[in-house]
Amino acid sequence: MTAADIGRLEEDERRLVLGRFGNDDAWRLGTILVDLARERGAAVTIGIRRGAQQLFHCALPGTSADNDAWIARKCRVTERYGESSFLVGARFRAKGRTFEEASRLDPDRYAAHGGAFPLRLRGTGVVGAVAVSGLPQAEDHAMVVEGLERFLAE
């Protein structure tokens, strides 16, 4: 991944900031992502968390409990670093190191692979994470970004 790619990921995070995020918003964002996945025939699991509370979860046909584990691991990265799991992993790779080696975090609990994105509130900061698991990591990330774009456009 190039510096320009990392810059685009950073710009997405600056751009996709929410004015509010309550339980009903989690439901709406989650259903937008489910609709996107169904439009594409994508077998994904979708999870949305605010703090320690899971507000939305949907496992579409073709997924497994492994997808739940991936979501948990990617969300832990987003919650710890305050950035998307894809951006965190890209920054480590840009330095010629892997997240698994350099972070010194348990890889059974943390995964810096694309798919988890911070739920950032304007004036507050990161309050949670939205995640998709089931596609290649760049596609998981792109689906979350597109879902947030649709959510913010409503």
Side-chain angles (χ1 to χ4, degrees), residues 2 11 61 73 89 104 109 127 145 151 153:
T2 68
E11 177 54 31
R73 292 168 59 219
R104 302 185 67 183
R109 295 189 42 80
V127 297
V145 167
F151 176 78

Side-chain angles (χ1 to χ4, degrees), residues 20-154:
R20 67 182 195 298
F21 199 76
N23 293 31
D24 290 337
D25 298 310
W27 177 260
R28 183 66 196 130
L29 176 56
T31 57
I32 287 169
L33 287 164
V34 169
D35 290 344
L36 272 172
R38 286 187 172 143
E39 287 169 17
R40 296 175 181 156
V44 297
T45 298
I46 299 155
I48 300 176
R49 300 185 64 74
R50 186 182 56 215
Q53 185 180 21
Q54 182 174 325
L55 299 179
F56 184 92
H57 180 270
C58 180
L60 293 173
T63 61
S64 71
D66 285 345
N67 297 106
D68 294 328
W70 274 101
I71 282 178
R73 292 168 59 219
K74 292 189 278 189
C75 283
R76 283 187 195 102
V77 167
T78 293
E79 291 160 357
R80 185 178 185 106
Y81 288 85
E83 298 175 321
S84 74
S85 53
F86 198 39
L87 176 58
V88 171
R91 284 192 175 138
F92 276 92
R93 288 187 297 279
K95 294 175 185 174
R97 305 170 75 186
T98 68
F99 174 81
E100 294 76 15
E101 297 169 333
S103 72
R104 302 185 67 183
L105 295 171
D106 181 353
D108 288 336
R109 295 189 42 80
Y110 294 87
H113 294 263
F117 199 94
L119 295 170
R120 184 173 283 114
L121 291 183
R122 191 173 298 106
T124 301
V126 176
V127 297
V130 52
V132 168
S133 174
L135 303 170
Q137 65 173 328
E139 293 175 40
D140 279 347
H141 178 84
M143 185 175 285
V144 171
V145 167
E146 186 175 346
L148 282 166
E149 288 169 342
R150 287 187 184 189
F151 176 78
L152 286 167
E154 290 186 343

